[in-house]
Every structure is written in C-alpha cells, then in structure tokens.
Amino acid sequence: MPELPEVETLRRALERELIGRRLQSLDIYEPRLLQNASEEELQRALVGQTLQSVGRRAKFLLFDFGPHTAVLHLRMTGWPTLTPVQTPRFVFRFDQKKTLYFSDPRRLATLHLVPTAHAHTLPPLNGLGIEPFQPTYTLKNFLALLQTDQEIKRLLLDQRKIAGIGNIYACEALFASRIHPQRPAKSLSRAEARRLFAQIEKILARAIAEQGTTVKTYRRLAGESGNFQNFLAVYDRAGEPCVRCQTPIERLTQGGRGTYFCPTCQHRV
DNA sequence: AGTATAACCTGTCTGC
DNA sequence: TGCAGACAGGTTATAC
C-alpha cells in the first residue's frame, strides 16, 4: 500500500504525536510480523525507554528508542494509528495516555529490532539503494544504475537499486518523463534519464505535500485520506483518456504488477 | 542477466 | 443473490 510519500506522511504525524513519550508496555498479537526478535526480547529492549525520534528509510519507519530501534515495514495494508482498531497486530502504550495501534488485515507487515548504532548496516535496512531526497540521489549515481537491460519500470521498483518508489509513483514518473515502461534501462537517452531523475523527486515531493495517495486502504494517522489520488495521470486509469493527448490509458503486466501508461506519449523507442 | 510465476495473506470489486 | 476470479500501494524464492 504505502510508498515513500505515504510513509513520510505517517512519519511526520507519528513524530508529532509520540516523540518524547516513554513506552510503558507493548503487546504483540500477531507474532508472524516479528522477523528477528520475540515479543519478550522487544519488551526487554524497548519498555521503559523514551521515543527519541521517528525516522524513515525508503518505505521503512524507524522508531528510535535510544539503544534499540524498532523497524517497521507496512507492506500492503499496514496502518499505524492512535485510534483503536478492531484487530490490532500490536499495541504500544506510552505515558500520557498515548497508544499506538497497528492494523494490518493481510498480515504482511514486518517488524525488526536492531541496535540503533548499527541500524543501517543490518537487515532489513542494509542493501537498500539510493534514495530520493538523500545525498545519495545524484544524477551520476542514477545514470550508473541504468547500465542494464532491465526494463526501466522494474528497475524503479527494485529497492536494492533505488529505494522508496512503488507501483503508483513508478507509473507516474515514467508518464511525466514520457518513457515507455518496458524500455531497457540502458536504452534511455541522456535527456530521458535526466527527465526521469528530476520527475521522480518532483512527483514524490508533490505527493508528500498532498499527504499521500489514497486509492483503497491507505489512511493518514488519524484516518483521513491523502489527496494525491486527485492528481494521478495514469495509475489505475486504464481506458480513461490521457490527460495530455486523450489516447486511452493502457494496462500491462510487469513482474506481476499492473503498469499503466499512455501508448502515445510514452514511446517504445 | 532478466523475466515470469507463485507465495505470503485478506478484502473488495466485477462479471456471469 | 451467489460465487468464481481478478486484483491490490510490497517483497522474495524459485524456475525458465
């Protein structure tokens, strides 16, 4: 469900609500979310600690509790909220009556416990690629990634190469750059690559400003929808006229994911 | 090397 | 109304 803009929107709200709060208890109701630590290990590491910050790396949320950090990935339907939910997968109770509930109907979310000092050198954060808005996101680094025959859309979704982009924003960035999603990455001209490099950050920034895209299940911390769905040009719009040229938007499948594009604006050559 | 498919899960929507 | 099938914002293992 959530990509970089949605996770960033949640991060900002979580930080605003929970920073400086001391964790009083934590209960796990869905142990399958735990990847590398038991409920007891999490409790031992985190209960009694004060939340220092809520960070983000790509689509991961980082709850920094001082010595240890809890790393959460929302996958498709994960949703942290301060409003009680029907079937919470876990609950973090803080002082001053602040409680964090985590909903996840599909149970695909993941939670890791890592020592804060080494968080970025350990799973699941190690191995992530360059990230928009970080110092690693340079045109030079981006161009280096493109030296492969892999389809450009698939490359944009490969978190080991470039981290944070998901299906919606990959489709939107390619449309804005007028690049066909099945083009081999290394077939892009310098001008096309530069357009794509710039459009990725432009679209992600706009999506953050609009507090994310709600197509189905994504909700902000307090339950409101995002706004960026009102600005989508191609995603989930198969059959509708292209906003640039009126040609019907088409859908194809790449790596089992739906790809939406305009066959007129996004040339195969 | 690169792609397709299935798997992990559940909920929702579409078409017959 | 009922039911099968498709599909979903993510990631990963396995097979061609």
Side-chain angles (χ1 to χ4, degrees):
Chain A
M1 154 176 83
E3 309 180 29
L4 188 155
E6 289 73 37
V7 178
E8 177 62 18
T9 299
L10 288 164
R11 185 200 69 76
R12 293 177 183 183
L14 286 164
E15 186 165 76
R16 189 163 56 238
E17 295 289 340
L18 297 177
I19 216 158
R21 300 279 60 78
R22 182 175 172 277
L23 187 66
Q24 294 184 323
S25 69
L26 147 190
D27 290 294
I28 306 288
Y29 302 105
E30 183 47 76
R32 88 183 324 275
L33 302 195
L34 306 185
Q35 303 299 304
N36 70 343
S38 66
E39 179 174 14
E40 292 70 29
E41 288 169 324
L42 277 164
Q43 289 168 340
R44 220 172 298 134
L46 305 182
V47 172
Q49 301 290 329
T50 296
L51 185 65
Q52 304 295 314
S53 66
V54 182
R56 179 185 58 75
R57 170 76 168 108
K59 303 173 192 174
F60 291 90
L61 283 169
L62 282 63
F63 295 86
D64 175 355
F65 282 94
H68 295 275
T69 292
V71 182
L72 178 66
H73 197 301
L74 310 178
R75 294 289 189 106
M76 295 295 270
T77 55
W79 180 44
T81 178
L82 305 187
T83 310
V85 296
Q86 275 207 335
T87 312
R89 302 310 188 189
F90 64 71
V91 176
F92 281 31
R93 295 185 193 282
F94 295 85
D95 60 10
Q96 296 186 6
K97 301 197 173 176
K98 297 271 191 179
T99 302
L100 175 65
Y101 303 87
F102 187 69
S103 166
D104 183 25
R106 289 178 69 176
R107 296 188 289 166
L108 296 172
T110 60
L111 186 63
H112 285 78
L113 177 69
V114 296
T116 302
H118 306 290
H120 293 273
T121 68
L122 295 168
L125 301 182
N126 62 342
L128 288 172
I130 65 171
E131 178 171 334
F133 311 117
Q134 297 301 128
T136 53
Y137 194 74
T138 63
L139 181 58
K140 186 182 176 194
N141 285 343
F142 186 72
L143 292 173
L145 288 181
L146 300 186
Q147 302 314 308
T148 165
D149 282 323
Q150 189 177 34
E151 293 173 347
I152 186 61
K153 159 85 173 343
R154 296 180 60 118
L155 185 146
L156 294 181
L157 293 181
D158 187 342
Q159 304 296 301
R160 294 165 306 180
K161 293 176 178 164
I162 177 167
I165 301 172
N167 209 27
I168 293 177
Y169 301 109
C171 293
E172 295 297 315
L174 287 167
F175 172 79
S177 310
R178 283 176 274 138
I179 297 167
H180 192 287
Q182 289 179 314
R183 292 268 302 280
K186 71 180 178 192
S187 77
L188 269 58
S189 70
R190 180 123 185 153
E192 288 173 326
R194 212 178 314 117
R195 283 207 301 272
L196 182 56
F197 173 77
Q199 286 297 331
I200 286 169
E201 276 198 339
K202 185 177 173 187
I203 287 170
L204 293 178
R206 178 78 193 282
I208 293 169
E210 297 292 343
Q211 309 200 73
T213 300
T214 298
V215 174
K216 290 191 173 69
T217 61
Y218 163 71
R219 290 291 181 278
R220 290 156 54 193
L221 191 65
E224 318 97 314
S225 295
N227 298 316
F228 195 70
Q229 64 277 9
N230 297 315
F231 302 95
L232 297 176
V234 289
Y235 182 80
D236 203 24
R237 300 194 56 177
E240 296 178 40
C242 170
V243 294
R244 276 187 79 241
C245 75
Q246 314 301 312
T247 302
I249 298 303
E250 291 184 9
R251 179 188 188 277
L252 56 80
T253 299
Q254 290 175 283
R257 320 290 307 282
T259 296
Y260 300 86
F261 70 106
C262 172
T264 301
C265 297
Q266 296 169 264
H267 302 293
R268 200 176 271 278
V269 189

